[in-house]
Amino acid sequence: MNNEDLSRSWPAHVATGLLVLVMGCGAENAATPVQETARWWQGNLHTHTLWSDGDEYPEVVLDWYRSHGYEFVAVSDHNTLARGERWIDPAASAGGVPAFERYVSVSGDDWVETREINDVLEVRLKTFDEYRDRVEVPGRFLIIQGEEITSAFDSRPIHVNATNILEEIEPRGGSSVREVLQNNVDAVIEQRDRTGQPMFPHINHPNFGWALTAEDIIPLQGERFFEVYNGHPAVHNEGNEDRPSMERIWDIILSERLRSGSDLIYGIAVDDAHHYQDMQQGLANPGRGWIMVRSDSLTPSSLISSMEDGDFYASTGIELEDVMIRSDTVSVLLRPELGIRYYTRFIGTRVGYDTTRVRVTDGDESTTLYRYSDDVGEVFAEINGNAARYVFRGDELYVRAVVFSTKLKENPYQEGELEMAWTQPIRPPR
């Protein structure tokens, strides 16, 4: 079967969005062959509950995602797994009495366990195994065990998500930002290698607390994912006058890594949800960013395999019908909404690009900021409409597509935010 045979338009009922990545030029670029059972699944990989600093019980959080069309969710509380016996005072918890009342309403009196200690009502937080067995629906709604490994260096927050882990990972330190980051990535890789469990780390919100730079991520070993979009209002997706946006960081990382013969890094969109009671700008609400993963089954191993092949896209609302990659072109087909206008930018960096970088601020290895040339993350083409096509010139290090819309996002990360989608970078054939 050739690439022409594998490129197709899928019916709308198959998935809410579809990305087909097929190339005959090496394993890194070649997606898993399309199967009749393959479809696309919507999910969020960064979610918090009352087991750390969320304001709702896990069952209520997962009910929100399931009722809003999500098909998988990774619960990733800070430095903990939902294990062991934990009782809390619901009135003193982050969610207060309203969260407890919602918990009883969603889960029922027969599920909720309470006790009184010194005239204070306490409620037991159910473990991951308990609530997974109750909430998960095989083939329809998957719950994945995760952890946000939360560390720091010199007061700078360094967070790495671990998806589908078996054992809690104690945050590791180090003598620099880069060493802390690498040590925590290594901890996930070590657990995967030791247990054989499919799992992966991803770098969280680099601009949160202005903690990480592109230069911190470029040399990382074993890391293939980072958050290009995070729905928390404090993470600075857009950067500032000195600091690049998350997309600009992505292009710098891709350019420098590929120039040195290293791997692609893929972009994830997440909620980083903490607040489920009040839905408003300024709070870390659910439903702001997600990924669509093409897989032949709704299982952690299948989803992770597809993601490691780059067979997914990130979105804040736009749905993709198809992305077709052939020997000389990449094409994007949207599922448009009536009355909404769209345009697609094909972005990348060419072989032999200007590698000059200008120092913006002075500091140590991790605090010095640089400005890279305009050759990095060049806009190769911009096309209006519901379909876009880019012809490879043959000298691109990578090409990725960003789709923009005129539709204002519901409950945005920041005022004026428009719905977008990001495909994963590919290495064109040469």
Side-chain angles (χ1 to χ4, degrees):
M1 182 177 291
N2 59 34
N3 290 341
E4 288 283 336
D5 296 327
L6 291 174
S7 299
R8 66 186 73 181
S9 294
W10 286 56
H13 72 272
V14 172
T16 55
L18 183 61
L19 175 65
V20 178
L21 295 177
V22 182
M23 295 190 74
C25 58
E28 183 173 42
N29 285 328
T32 304
V34 175
Q35 303 178 35
E36 292 302 320
T37 57
R39 56 155 292 183
W40 282 76
W41 311 89
Q42 180 179 359
N44 180 47
L45 297 182
H46 194 160
T47 315
H48 296 280
T49 75
L50 280 168
W51 275 90
S52 63
D53 56 348
D55 68 2
E56 286 285 6
Y57 297 81
E59 298 91 326
V60 177
V61 170
L62 295 167
D63 180 72
W64 189 96
Y65 281 102
R66 186 172 62 180
S67 66
H68 284 78
Y70 286 71
E71 290 140 325
F72 66 93
V73 176
V75 181
S76 56
D77 282 306
H78 294 277
N79 293 342
T80 190
L81 299 182
R83 293 181 176 175
E85 187 168 314
R86 183 179 297 185
W87 295 80
I88 65 169
D89 176 354
S93 72
V97 173
F100 177 68
E101 293 175 342
R102 231 177 337 270
Y103 180 38
V104 174
S105 175
V106 168
S107 301
D109 290 318
D110 60 335
W111 174 256
V112 177
E113 293 184 49
T114 62
R115 69 183 184 186
E116 283 195 13
I117 302 292
N118 298 325
D119 297 324
V120 175
L121 177 71
E122 294 185 340
V123 61
R124 186 171 76 86
L125 294 179
K126 298 300 178 88
T127 66
F128 177 83
D129 289 338
E130 288 175 308
Y131 65 70
R132 177 179 59 184
D133 288 345
R134 181 177 179 85
V135 178
E136 194 171 75
V137 181
R140 294 176 56 193
F141 187 68
L142 174 70
I143 304 169
I144 300 172
Q145 184 168 242
E147 177 188 352
E148 184 168 11
I149 306 168
T150 306
S151 191
F153 180 81
D154 195 22
S155 300
R156 293 160 67 183
I158 302 171
H159 298 185
V160 175
N161 257 35
T163 297
N164 201 40
I165 60 173
L166 287 171
E167 304 161 358
E168 182 178 326
I169 295 176
E170 184 75 19
R172 298 185 178 181
S175 60
S176 68
V177 167
R178 296 177 194 180
E179 187 173 318
V180 172
L181 198 57
Q182 185 67 68
N183 287 344
N184 286 296
V185 167
D186 288 346
V188 183
I189 304 302
E190 287 168 7
Q191 186 177 135
R192 182 182 69 189
D193 291 343
R194 175 170 50 82
T195 65
Q197 170 95 340
M199 65 183 72
F200 65 86
H202 85 248
I203 303 303
N204 295 344
H205 43 55
N207 278 346
F208 176 56
W210 305 117
L212 305 178
T213 64
E215 291 77 20
D216 294 323
I217 301 173
I218 290 165
L220 279 180
Q221 300 295 311
E223 181 55 82
R224 297 291 303 280
F225 305 95
F226 92 120
E227 292 176 356
V228 68
Y229 176 93
N230 181 301
H232 195 295
V235 299
H236 308 294
N237 289 319
E238 70 286 354
N240 64 16
E241 62 275 9
D242 292 327
R243 302 249 181 189
S245 68
M246 295 313 308
E247 275 208 64
R248 181 64 175 166
I249 288 175
W250 195 9
D251 287 313
I252 294 168
I253 295 168
L254 285 167
S255 302
E256 294 293 287
R257 282 170 71 109
L258 295 179
R259 180 169 68 93
S260 64
S262 188
D263 295 326
L264 292 166
I265 191 164
Y266 298 127
I268 297 173
V270 302
D271 285 334
D272 195 358
H274 292 71
H275 307 120
Y276 304 88
Q277 299 191 38
D278 299 320
M279 298 293 179
Q280 60 177 297
Q281 188 178 323
L283 296 178
N285 293 150
R288 288 185 174 151
W290 57 86
I291 55 175
M292 299 294 298
V293 182
R294 182 170 66 85
S295 169
D296 58 4
S297 64
L298 187 61
T299 64
S301 59
S302 185
L303 293 171
I304 289 171
S305 177
S306 291
M307 289 189 66
E308 289 179 336
D309 285 339
D311 205 356
F312 71 102
Y313 69 90
S315 179
T316 63
I318 291 176
E319 297 182 26
L320 304 184
E321 182 72 28
D322 206 353
V323 173
M324 297 170 288
I325 300 171
R326 300 176 181 173
S327 61
D328 60 345
T329 62
V330 55
S331 304
V332 179
L333 180 64
L334 313 184
R335 293 189 61 200
E337 292 188 41
L338 188 64
I340 305 300
R341 298 190 305 277
Y342 301 88
Y343 67 95
T344 300
R345 284 179 180 166
F346 292 98
I347 294 172
T349 300
R350 300 190 187 279
V351 174
Y353 70 94
D354 180 1
T355 60
T356 303
R357 62 179 188 176
V358 178
R359 187 185 296 266
V360 177
T361 62
D362 290 327
D364 60 23
E365 181 182 55
S366 264
T367 58
T368 300
L369 301 178
Y370 297 95
R371 182 171 291 114
Y372 288 74
S373 77
D374 291 341
D375 285 0
V376 173
E378 178 186 349
V379 177
F380 293 155
E382 182 173 306
I383 296 97
N384 294 320
N386 303 335
R389 179 173 176 267
Y390 174 76
V391 179
F392 299 132
R393 207 172 77 174
D395 62 350
E396 300 92 346
L397 277 174
Y398 69 93
V399 178
R400 63 182 183 86
V402 188
V403 186
F404 300 84
S405 77
T406 57
K407 183 180 179 181
L408 286 168
K409 182 166 176 57
E410 184 178 351
N411 187 19
Y413 152 88
Q414 62 179 1
E415 188 172 356
E417 182 182 357
L418 300 172
E419 290 187 354
M420 298 176 62
W422 299 263
T423 72
Q424 300 310 317
I426 59 170
R427 286 176 163 176
R430 293 192 183 89

